Amino acid sequence: MEAEALRYEKLAEDLRGIIAAGDLQPGERLPSVRRLSRERRLSVSTVLQALHQLEDRGLVEARPQSGYFVRHPGVRRAQPDSRSPPDMPVAVDVSQRLMRVLQAGVAPGVAPLAAALPASGLLPLASLQRLYAGVVRRHPRLLAGGSHINMDEAALVRQLLLRSVGWAGALAASEFVITNSCTEALALCLRAVTSPGDTVAVESPAYYLMLQLLESLGLQALEIPTDPGRGLSIEALDLATRDGRVAACLLVANASNPLGSIMPDENKRRLARLATDRGLPVIEDDIYGDLHFGNERPWPIKAFDGSGQVMLCSSFSKCLSPALRIGFIAGGRYRSQIALQKTIGSGATNPVTQLVLAEYLASGACERHLRTLRRSYQRQVEAMRAAVARYFPAETRITEPQGGFVLWVELPPEIDASARFEQAIAAGVAYVPGELFSASGMYRNCLRLNCGNPHSPEIDDAVRRLGDLLSR
Amino acid sequence: MEAEALRYEKLAEDLRGIIAAGDLQPGERLPSVRRLSRERRLSVSTVLQALHQLEDRGLVEARPQSGYFVRHPGVRRAQPDSRSPPDMPVAVDVSQRLMRVLQAGVAPGVAPLAAALPASGLLPLASLQRLYAGVVRRHPRLLAGGSHINMDEAALVRQLLLRSVGWAGALAASEFVITNSCTEALALCLRAVTSPGDTVAVESPAYYLMLQLLESLGLQALEIPTDPGRGLSIEALDLATRDGRVAACLLVANASNPLGSIMPDENKRRLARLATDRGLPVIEDDIYGDLHFGNERPWPIKAFDGSGQVMLCSSFSKCLSPALRIGFIAGGRYRSQIALQKTIGSGATNPVTQLVLAEYLASGACERHLRTLRRSYQRQVEAMRAAVARYFPAETRITEPQGGFVLWVELPPEIDASARFEQAIAAGVAYVPGELFSASGMYRNCLRLNCGNPHSPEIDDAVRRLGDLLSR
């Protein structure tokens, strides 16, 4: 027993040394428990003991389904608590403020910390553009097709299916609808399963475009408490859907926007069961699912859905190119209503772009690119966390995202992020004020930062200026 | 005076001879009045006298703004009368029947007389596909752009503006929104200016996708009588909009679908004035505007609009390719609401496709192509009229379209076109049943035929089979 104790101490000390020497950088993953166990000939529990010791000392952190990571020094900030939104659904009205934020955020000379957009240097743009030439040469009749129905390219649907084989055959080719973006996918699903006046359950905080969509469709938002670590509260959703007043649930289970939480598999299973039992349509935005920081691609709720209640929506705007404008829906039992809405709302989808995407997904380059990209995003998120911890007011809380590339920041309660927005733009920094993530006006002391760009001195300086401004 | 009389008789006889010899084919245009006057050294009134004589004898027909055309022998059918729709707005519910019609219409072995789709052989598909390769080579950073705002390509907007210079500067670059199709354009305009429960004035008969859109948005349709020659009744619209209960007017002023009527300029002017006086938003679908049979490109209502009440929507699906999926809106005073709906509903539009379209529009090939295409469509419509006159029941009425490529057919009142639809599909012929063009269940004895294909023996035989079936 003493020998065992020594062995875990020895392992912990070795790892400390490696971290202190800089051989393992902040944000990098430690070797897996299994590998350490095998290579050091230690039991799994001994390895875990060593890692727990490092964790207690703030040197490493555990991430669900992902393993252990070196912490940024000085980024031992508390995560924001999940808040209790009002019990009642609320009409949404944030549209014109949002347009101002989006437009100011892309103005020249403004640091791009608002919209969740990746730096173009991280994306395989040259490969995608080259594919266009090949696609139109090899398929000379592509533009002959009809304009309203039957124009989903089988090659693209096949690639999308192949990407989900790990989910135990969760998807079927016959349930797909190709769309002009993930945004359009969400809009079509909502139109397929709701009527004006209905109530839709959303996360709190929720992605602002989802709230906009609800407003535009005359729907009410019911905000469900959402934990920065575990995502939407199943208990609260359970309560809210007991009396049948909720027409649908709209959420981001994998790397939620803005919190970056990944819902544990057990909760996904419970949510899928709840949807089945109550006939509740679930609209799942999985656009960040490929951008997990852990080893394993997290499954979507759709993978646990046996009854077709879950509509899976996504696109490749966050990992290949935001300008392609191709998204998709695996619509389950709602497929035909969704297809009707697509026919009415925009008709078919351009077949050239569909095939360009299909060919890129079929290439070996795609998985290599995604591996590199995940590491870049993780590094950028860690660096942004460190910068915020350094420059923002002392009591600021910061999320610890498990994927994606946005950071949610809770400022001291007296600071109003909306009120400071125009000053920040004047100082050359954009962000998305927290109140846009709530239909009921919560989160005024919060903001979201885009970490889609490599953490350059310019970005660091922008965070510093923003921190100065918020500290005043 | 007698000499003059002889001269017009002589001209009429010469023209009769040319037609009888087949040197001027049915559907072809006679030389213009001005040219005949100049070349024969006759006064304009003498030339007109000769033409009126030919018209009275059923050999030629006058078309507004277009000149005189050789009639098809045996196609002296009456046009359908305009019908009186109910005074009250009506909730729309035709969606599932429509999907059945659209799907059956593209089934293999079925003659394509349903959806208004051109034969691919008529379209410049090879040129468009070649442009893709050039565009991505010359613009290597196209796919880097953001995903939600500011992604309308200036080169495309410029080409769209240039196409409207003849309309006395009706459009401004700042009012454009590029969309994923004309269908999406109409949907965005409706969402920008209406709320669920509102009433929208439409033509009667109206394009079925417009009725679908109203249904999907929870809007009521108020059907306004529409004349097969002169389009929507301004008097009826005037009456209907007196009490402010109409939230918008949605129509196709140029080559309406399905009637093929072109609204006279004077009526367009009156409609624009009415819209200004009453603050009535007008959504104008101009997708057939370039497909006029007359000499002059008819102006849209938008050209007469001084107050920004008119939203002009269009795309190039009917003349370049139905698969491009690029449309546009010149949104007037409603531009910012429309842009917001685009951001929420689908985000930005693919920039590669936008530039491909811009470069084609900028090429000299475009106008040459359109001239040829207009002649083809006119020939095909004439041939379809002749076939319908030959094969359909004797009392059948047929429209005389002034543009576009669909024909509206009114059968004897006891024939129900919806009830015969499945039999027709079984016989290998598709069409769109008339009831889909009305929210109030009118037009059950009508149907629409697509004339987008060259009138081959196969098409002729399909019309014959359909005629037999309807005569039984």
Side-chain angles (χ1 to χ4, degrees):
Chain A
M1 205 54 216
E2 206 173 351
E4 193 71 9
L6 285 173
R7 288 160 105 184
Y8 93 73
E9 284 277 11
K10 179 73 174 61
L11 173 59
E13 201 183 306
D14 287 354
L15 290 171
R16 259 196 312 273
I18 290 168
I19 293 167
D23 294 327
L24 267 175
Q25 290 282 327
E28 283 195 282
R29 194 171 53 231
L30 273 66
S32 71
V33 172
R34 183 179 305 201
R35 185 174 147 197
L36 288 171
S37 160
R38 191 178 62 237
E39 296 186 354
R40 305 271 302 213
R41 317 241 166 141
L42 296 171
S43 70
V44 165
S45 69
T46 302
V47 172
L48 284 173
Q49 232 177 328
L51 290 167
H52 289 159
Q53 193 194 73
L54 295 178
E55 202 179 3
D56 290 344
R57 297 185 184 181
L59 291 172
V60 306
E61 60 189 353
R63 294 184 190 157
Q65 300 178 313
S66 317
Y68 286 81
F69 292 77
V70 180
R71 291 196 75 128
H72 266 271
V75 193
R76 301 213 53 197
R77 292 303 185 82
Q79 290 219 61
D81 290 332
S82 102
R83 296 194 190 175
S84 295
D87 275 348
M88 294 303 298
V90 176
V92 188
D93 173 25
V94 282
S95 57
Q96 295 305 332
R97 274 173 295 164
L98 174 66
M99 289 304 271
R100 167 72 191 134
V101 169
L102 291 181
Q103 264 147 10
V106 294
V110 173
L113 309 189
L117 282 174
S120 58
L122 299 173
L123 304 176
L125 304 181
S127 306
L128 290 167
Q129 296 219 172
R130 263 196 309 275
L131 281 174
Y132 267 101
V135 162
V136 292
R137 195 180 59 241
R138 273 177 279 110
H139 304 272
R141 310 269 314 148
L142 271 180
L143 292 178
S147 63
H148 279 100
I149 53 169
N150 294 3
M151 278 184 63
D152 291 354
E153 290 292 329
L156 177 56
V157 171
R158 186 163 168 274
Q159 287 303 319
L160 297 174
L161 269 181
L162 283 176
R163 295 184 65 74
S164 75
V165 284
W167 312 340
L171 309 184
S174 58
E175 67 175 323
F176 274 85
V177 175
I178 305 295
T179 66
N180 287 300
S181 59
C182 186
T183 301
E184 187 184 50
L186 300 173
L188 294 172
C189 291
L190 278 171
R191 287 210 286 276
V193 300
T194 67
S195 304
D198 280 354
T199 293
V200 175
V202 295
E203 291 156 299
S204 179
Y207 173 41
Y208 48 78
L209 267 187
M210 290 182 170
L211 298 177
Q212 287 294 308
L213 256 174
L214 300 188
E215 177 181 349
S216 156
L217 298 171
L219 299 167
Q220 308 268 311
L222 179 64
E223 299 172 73
I224 305 289
T226 303
D227 182 78
R230 300 167 56 83
L232 181 128
S233 161
I234 307 297
E235 293 73 19
L237 184 69
D238 186 353
L239 271 170
T241 55
R242 269 194 190 160
D243 61 359
R245 67 178 173 149
V246 170
C249 176
L250 170 64
L251 82 170
V252 188
N254 290 331
S256 86
N257 177 358
L259 291 177
S261 54
I262 293 184
M263 184 181 282
D265 280 354
E266 181 46 31
N267 284 11
K268 289 173 178 162
R269 190 172 286 116
R270 286 170 64 200
L271 204 162
R273 201 179 310 128
L274 188 153
T276 300
D277 292 348
R278 300 198 176 153
L280 177 74
V282 173
I283 304 167
E284 178 179 21
D285 176 351
D286 197 46
I287 199 167
Y288 296 103
D290 284 326
L291 300 175
H292 52 95
F293 297 159
N295 290 325
E296 300 297 325
R297 206 289 187 195
W299 287 13
I301 301 166
K302 177 84 177 172
F304 300 94
D305 171 32
S307 65
Q309 286 292 348
V310 179
M311 292 155 266
L312 180 77
C313 300
S314 193
S315 85
F316 297 88
S317 283
K318 306 299 183 188
C319 59
L320 301 187
S321 159
L324 270 182
R325 318 311 298 150
I326 298 285
F328 67 90
I329 303 163
R333 66 195 308 150
Y334 301 104
R335 198 267 171 197
S336 72
Q337 289 104 298
I338 293 166
L340 172 66
Q341 293 300 326
K342 180 71 165 76
T343 296
I344 297 169
S346 70
T349 304
N350 182 295
V352 177
T353 327
Q354 287 188 64
L355 278 196
V356 165
L357 177 57
E359 298 205 353
Y360 186 79
L361 293 178
S363 75
C366 184
E367 288 310 315
R368 284 195 302 278
H369 160 69
L370 287 177
R371 270 196 299 276
T372 310
L373 186 67
R374 281 193 282 266
R375 280 199 295 270
S376 301
Y377 284 153
Q378 188 176 7
R379 227 172 10 239
Q380 291 165 195
V381 165
E382 286 295 341
M384 185 67 82
R385 288 187 81 233
V388 169
R390 193 173 317 129
Y391 300 126
F392 274 39
E395 312 85 67
T396 300
R397 294 175 174 219
I398 321 170
T399 48
E400 298 178 14
Q402 297 161 46
F405 51 93
V406 296
L407 210 58
W408 180 249
V409 177
E410 184 182 290
L411 303 163
E414 69 278 10
I415 304 183
D416 183 334
S418 294
R420 307 288 179 98
F421 181 75
E422 294 298 335
Q423 288 171 273
I425 293 296
V429 201
Y431 56 82
V432 185
E435 64 161 334
L436 291 179
F437 296 83
S438 166
S440 62
M442 300 172 75
Y443 307 116
R444 290 191 72 93
N445 66 323
C446 297
L447 55 85
R448 195 195 71 176
L449 296 173
N450 170 40
C451 312
N453 299 278
H455 200 80
S456 63
E458 292 73 27
I459 298 274
D460 198 74
D461 196 55
V463 181
R464 186 189 56 71
R465 291 198 306 278
L466 184 55
D468 288 353
L469 192 152
L470 294 169
S471 303
R472 254 180 252 150
Chain B
M1 206 53 214
E2 206 174 351
E4 193 71 9
L6 285 173
R7 288 159 105 184
Y8 92 72
E9 283 278 12
K10 178 75 173 66
L11 173 59
E13 201 183 307
D14 287 356
L15 290 171
R16 258 196 312 274
I18 289 167
I19 293 167
D23 294 328
L24 267 176
Q25 289 284 325
E28 282 195 282
R29 193 170 54 230
L30 274 67
S32 71
V33 172
R34 183 179 307 199
R35 185 175 147 197
L36 288 171
S37 161
R38 190 177 63 238
E39 297 186 353
R40 304 273 297 218
R41 315 239 166 141
L42 296 171
S43 71
V44 166
S45 68
T46 303
V47 172
L48 284 172
Q49 234 178 326
L51 291 168
H52 289 159
Q53 194 195 70
L54 296 178
E55 203 178 1
D56 289 345
R57 296 187 184 180
L59 291 171
V60 305
E61 61 188 353
R63 294 183 191 159
Q65 301 178 313
S66 316
Y68 285 81
F69 292 78
V70 180
R71 290 197 76 128
H72 266 271
V75 193
R76 303 212 52 198
R77 291 305 184 82
Q79 289 219 62
D81 290 330
S82 100
R83 296 195 190 174
S84 296
D87 276 347
M88 295 303 297
V90 176
V92 188
D93 173 25
V94 282
S95 59
Q96 295 305 331
R97 274 172 295 163
L98 174 66
M99 290 302 272
R100 167 70 190 136
V101 170
L102 291 180
Q103 264 146 11
V106 294
V110 172
L113 309 188
L117 282 175
S120 58
L122 299 173
L123 304 177
L125 304 181
S127 305
L128 289 167
Q129 295 219 170
R130 264 196 308 276
L131 281 174
Y132 267 102
V135 161
V136 292
R137 196 180 58 241
R138 274 177 278 109
H139 303 273
R141 310 268 313 147
L142 271 180
L143 293 178
S147 63
H148 279 99
I149 53 169
N150 295 2
M151 277 184 65
D152 292 353
E153 290 292 328
L156 177 57
V157 171
R158 187 163 167 275
Q159 287 304 319
L160 297 174
L161 269 182
L162 283 176
R163 294 185 64 76
S164 75
V165 284
W167 312 339
L171 308 184
S174 58
E175 68 175 323
F176 273 85
V177 175
I178 305 295
T179 66
N180 286 302
S181 60
C182 186
T183 302
E184 188 184 50
L186 299 174
L188 294 172
C189 291
L190 278 171
R191 287 210 286 275
V193 300
T194 66
S195 303
D198 281 353
T199 293
V200 175
V202 296
E203 292 156 298
S204 180
Y207 174 41
Y208 48 77
L209 266 188
M210 290 182 169
L211 298 177
Q212 286 294 309
L213 256 174
L214 300 189
E215 177 180 349
S216 155
L217 298 172
L219 298 166
Q220 307 268 312
L222 180 63
E223 299 173 75
I224 305 289
T226 303
D227 183 77
R230 300 166 56 82
L232 181 128
S233 161
I234 308 296
E235 293 73 19
L237 184 69
D238 186 354
L239 272 170
T241 55
R242 269 193 189 158
D243 61 359
R245 66 179 173 149
V246 169
C249 177
L250 171 65
L251 83 170
V252 188
N254 290 330
S256 87
N257 177 358
L259 291 177
S261 54
I262 293 183
M263 183 182 281
D265 280 354
E266 180 47 30
N267 285 11
K268 288 172 178 163
R269 190 173 285 115
R270 286 169 63 200
L271 203 163
R273 201 179 310 128
L274 188 153
T276 300
D277 292 349
R278 301 197 175 151
L280 177 74
V282 172
I283 304 167
E284 178 180 21
D285 176 349
D286 197 46
I287 200 166
Y288 296 103
D290 284 326
L291 301 176
H292 51 95
F293 296 160
N295 290 324
E296 301 296 326
R297 206 289 188 195
W299 287 13
I301 301 166
K302 177 85 177 172
F304 301 94
D305 171 33
S307 65
Q309 286 292 348
V310 179
M311 291 155 267
L312 180 78
C313 301
S314 192
S315 85
F316 297 88
S317 283
K318 307 299 183 188
C319 59
L320 301 187
S321 159
L324 270 183
R325 318 312 298 151
I326 298 284
F328 66 90
I329 304 163
R333 66 195 309 150
Y334 301 105
R335 198 268 172 197
S336 72
Q337 290 103 297
I338 294 166
L340 172 66
Q341 292 301 326
K342 179 71 165 80
T343 296
I344 297 169
S346 71
T349 304
N350 182 294
V352 177
T353 327
Q354 288 188 63
L355 278 196
V356 165
L357 177 56
E359 298 205 354
Y360 186 78
L361 294 178
S363 74
C366 183
E367 288 311 315
R368 283 196 303 277
H369 160 70
L370 287 176
R371 271 195 300 276
T372 310
L373 186 67
R374 281 193 283 267
R375 280 198 297 270
S376 302
Y377 284 153
Q378 189 176 6
R379 231 177 1 247
Q380 291 165 196
V381 166
E382 286 296 342
M384 186 66 82
R385 288 187 80 232
V388 170
R390 193 173 317 130
Y391 300 126
F392 275 38
E395 313 85 68
T396 300
R397 294 175 174 219
I398 321 171
T399 48
E400 298 178 15
Q402 297 161 47
F405 51 93
V406 297
L407 210 58
W408 180 249
V409 177
E410 184 181 290
L411 302 163
E414 69 278 10
I415 303 183
D416 183 334
S418 295
R420 306 287 179 99
F421 181 76
E422 294 298 336
Q423 286 172 274
I425 292 295
V429 200
Y431 58 81
V432 185
E435 64 158 337
L436 291 179
F437 296 83
S438 166
S440 62
M442 300 171 74
Y443 307 116
R444 289 190 73 93
N445 66 324
C446 297
L447 56 85
R448 195 195 71 177
L449 295 173
N450 170 41
C451 312
N453 298 279
H455 199 80
S456 62
E458 290 74 28
I459 298 273
D460 199 74
D461 196 57
V463 181
R464 185 188 57 71
R465 291 197 306 277
L466 183 56
D468 288 352
L469 192 150
L470 294 169
S471 304
R472 253 180 252 151

